[in-house]
C-alpha cells in the first residue's frame, strides 16, 4: 500500500475505484498540460467509475459493511451535529465526578427546533481514539446521558441519540463503578419519558453499550452501519473458539440494516451517498437531517401516552417468532 493509500485509508474493495479515479485525474492533468480535448474520454471513464461504485456498494457482504461502519473517516456524532444543527452547546459531566469523553451530548437547534442530542464519540486517530476510549462509554457516560435526557424531558425537548460503539467499556474499573446498573437504569428510564426519542445507528452499534442510549420511538440505521448483540469477532471466538471465523459470524448475526429491517428490529434505513458516508460527509448529514426532521414531525403529532405505548410495543414485539409444524 502506498503512502497516499495509507493517508486516505482505502478498504480493499475500494481500491479499484481509487485506481480508476487516479487514472481519470492523471489523464485530465496530462490533457491540460498538452492542451488536448479529452472531455469525451473523461466522461466515459466517469460513467464507468459511477457504475463500478454502484456495483461494489450494492453487493457488499456483512463483513464489508462492518468495515465501512468502522472506517476511520466515517462521520462521527460531533461531525453530524456540527453539519446538521443551527446551534450547539455541549454539556459535560454526570454530576457524580466524571465527564466521559466517549459519550457526548448537549442542546441544539435542528431546523429551528430545540432538541437534546447525545451519542458515542470515537476518535480520528490513535491518540484521539485512546482519549475517547474508542467510543466505549464508561458508567459515567451513561449517567451523563441520562442526566441530559431527563433535562430534555423536563423542558419538553425531543431526544436524538447517535449510536456508534463496539460496546460499553468492559474494564474491571467499569464494573466497579456499576456499568451494568447504569445501562439498565437508562433502559428503564427511557421507556418512561414523554418526549419523542429517535435513535440512529450511525456506525457500529454493539451490545448493551448501544442499547444504553437506544430505547426510542423510532430506530433508524444509516445504510452501511451495523447493529449487533456482539461483535462478529467476539461471536466467532465464543462459538468456534476462532476469531478468524468472524466473516461467518457476521452473516449469521444479521448485522446489516436490510437484515434488521426485515426482522422488524429497526424502523427506517437512511440512505448514504454514493461511496458511503465517508465519501461525502456533508451529503450524509443532509440525508440524515431530512430523515430526522420527517420522523420528528410524525412523532410530534402523537400524545406522550401514545409515544410511550409505541415505544413499549416496539420492544415488546422484538424476538417474536412462529414455529412451523410439518
Amino acid at each position: 500500500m502506498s503512502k497516499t493509500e495509507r493517508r486516505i485509508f482505502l478498504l480493499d474493495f475500494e481500491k479499484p475505484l481509487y485506481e480508476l479515479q487516479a487514472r481519470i485525474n492523471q489523464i485530465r492533468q496530462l490533457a491540460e498540460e498538452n492542451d488536448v480535448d479529452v472531455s469525451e474520454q473523461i466522461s466515459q471513464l466517469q460513467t464507468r467509475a459511477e457504475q463500478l461504485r454502484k456495483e461494489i456498494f450494492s453487493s457488499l457482504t456483512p463483513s464489508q459493511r462492518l468495515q465501512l461502519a468502522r472506517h476511520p473517516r466515517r462521520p462521527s456524532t460531533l461531525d453530524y451535529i456540527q453539519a446538521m444543527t443551527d446551534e450547539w452547546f455541549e454539556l459535560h459531566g454526570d454530576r457524580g465526578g466524571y465527564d466521559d469523553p466517549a459519550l457526548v451530548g448537549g442542546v441544539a437547534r435542528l431546523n429551528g427546533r430545540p432538541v437534546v442530542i447525545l451519542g458515542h464519540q470515537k476518535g480520528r486517530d490513535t491518540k484521539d481514539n485512546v482519549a475517547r476510549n474508542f467510543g466505549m462509554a464508561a458508567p459515567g457516560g451513561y449517567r451523563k446521558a441520562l442526566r441530559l435526557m431527563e433535562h430534555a424531558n423536563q423542558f419538553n425537548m425531543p431526544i436524538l441519540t447517535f449510536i456508534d460503539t463496539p460496546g460499553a467499556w468492559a474494564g474491571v474499573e467499569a464494573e466497579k463503578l456499576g456499568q451494568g446498573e447504569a445501562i439498565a437504569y437508562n433502559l428503564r428510564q427511557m421507556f418512561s419519558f414523554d418526549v419523542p426519542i429517535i435513535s440512529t445507528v450511525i456506525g457500529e452499534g454493539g451490545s448493551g453499550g448501544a442499547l444504553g442510549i437506544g430505547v426510542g420511538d423510532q430506530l433508524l440505521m444509516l445504510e452501511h452501519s451495523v447493529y449487533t448483540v456482539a461483535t462478529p469477532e467476539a461471536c466467532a471466538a465464543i462459538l468456534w473458539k476462532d476469531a478468524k471465523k468472524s466473516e461467518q459470524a457476521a452473516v449469521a448475526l444479521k448485522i446489516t440494516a436490510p437484515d434488521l429491517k426485515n426482522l422488524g428490529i429497526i424502523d427506517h434505513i437512511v440512505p448514504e451517498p454514493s461511496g458511503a458516508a465517508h465519501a461525502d460527509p456533508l451529503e450524509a448529514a443532509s440525508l440524515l437531517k431530512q430523515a430526522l426532521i420527517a420522523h420528528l414531525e410524525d412523532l410530534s403529532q402523537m400524545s406522550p401516552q401514545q409515544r410511550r405505548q409505541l415505544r413499549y410495543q416496539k420492544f415488546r414485539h422484538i424476538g417474536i417468532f412462529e414455529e412451523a409444524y410439518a
Side-chain angles (χ1 to χ4, degrees):
M1 184 181 290
S2 69
K3 292 182 179 179
T4 302
E5 287 178 313
R6 286 197 297 270
R7 186 170 64 251
I8 64 176
F9 195 90
L10 287 173
L11 299 173
D12 287 341
F13 57 85
E14 291 181 303
K15 289 179 182 178
L17 272 174
Y18 173 79
E19 292 167 356
L20 180 55
Q21 192 60 53
R23 180 184 172 192
I24 293 172
N25 293 337
Q26 184 180 33
I27 293 173
R28 183 182 285 116
Q29 183 178 354
L30 288 171
E32 290 175 355
E33 291 174 355
N34 295 280
D35 195 24
V36 178
D37 182 13
V38 292
S39 56
E40 185 175 347
Q41 293 89 330
I42 292 292
S43 178
Q44 292 174 351
L45 288 172
Q46 290 285 21
T47 300
R48 171 58 187 149
E50 187 58 33
Q51 289 174 343
L52 180 60
R53 185 177 290 106
K54 289 180 179 179
E55 290 171 8
I56 291 173
F57 286 89
S58 64
S59 58
L60 294 173
T61 66
S63 182
Q64 288 172 329
R65 287 181 187 265
L66 179 61
Q67 291 178 55
L68 285 175
R70 293 172 173 172
H71 199 292
R73 295 303 170 193
R74 191 170 178 85
S76 68
T77 291
L78 288 176
D79 292 329
Y80 282 117
I81 289 173
Q82 292 166 4
M84 293 191 309
T85 61
D86 309 315
E87 297 178 59
W88 163 247
F89 189 84
E90 186 174 353
L91 299 173
H92 296 272
D94 63 349
R95 293 188 177 171
Y98 186 60
D99 180 31
D100 187 359
L103 205 155
V104 299
V107 293
R109 288 186 183 275
L110 181 70
N111 201 34
R113 180 173 186 170
V115 295
V116 165
I117 305 178
L118 51 101
H120 303 101
Q121 180 63 36
K122 294 180 178 179
R124 276 281 174 250
D125 51 34
T126 302
K127 182 179 179 180
D128 194 18
N129 258 320
V130 170
R132 298 278 184 185
N133 199 29
F134 297 85
M136 296 184 293
Y142 290 103
R143 290 173 181 136
K144 174 170 69 173
L146 180 61
R147 178 174 77 83
L148 298 183
M149 290 188 286
E150 289 174 339
H151 176 87
N153 194 56
Q154 180 180 357
F155 292 99
N156 197 33
M157 291 187 287
I159 299 168
L160 306 178
T161 73
F162 294 153
I163 297 168
D164 188 16
T165 180
W169 181 33
V172 173
E173 190 66 22
E175 293 304 316
K176 289 181 180 179
L177 295 172
Q179 183 72 287
E181 183 273 342
I183 292 175
Y185 194 66
N186 276 25
L187 301 184
R188 188 185 75 174
Q189 293 303 103
M190 290 184 78
F191 277 106
S192 70
F193 292 144
D194 293 330
V195 297
I197 306 175
I198 301 177
S199 300
T200 306
V201 184
I202 61 173
E204 184 179 11
S207 192
L211 198 57
I213 57 170
V215 176
D217 310 312
Q218 295 286 300
L219 177 58
L220 317 184
M221 277 185 74
L222 293 187
E223 182 181 359
H224 299 304
S225 60
V226 298
Y227 195 35
T228 176
V229 68
T231 64
E233 294 88 349
C235 177
I238 293 169
L239 293 182
W240 300 293
K241 311 300 181 185
D242 185 0
K244 293 180 180 179
K245 292 187 176 181
S246 60
E247 289 191 24
Q248 184 178 344
V251 174
L253 284 168
K254 305 294 184 184
I255 64 176
T256 69
D259 282 334
L260 293 167
K261 183 69 166 62
N262 290 336
L263 290 170
I265 305 297
I266 68 169
D267 301 292
H268 180 72
I269 300 174
V270 180
E272 295 188 24
S274 179
H278 66 276
D280 192 345
L282 290 179
E283 177 63 15
S286 176
L287 292 168
L288 178 55
K289 182 178 181 179
Q290 293 173 32
L292 290 174
I293 290 173
H295 284 278
L296 267 181
E297 184 64 29
D298 291 340
L299 291 172
S300 297
Q301 306 303 316
M302 300 180 182
S303 68
Q305 183 178 3
Q306 288 174 321
R307 285 194 293 266
R308 287 196 302 271
Q309 184 64 20
L310 173 68
R311 208 174 300 155
Y312 173 80
Q313 291 298 334
K314 172 180 174 54
F315 284 85
R316 187 68 175 169
H317 283 87
I318 289 176
I320 289 179
F321 64 92
E322 296 181 357
E323 290 185 340
Y325 296 95

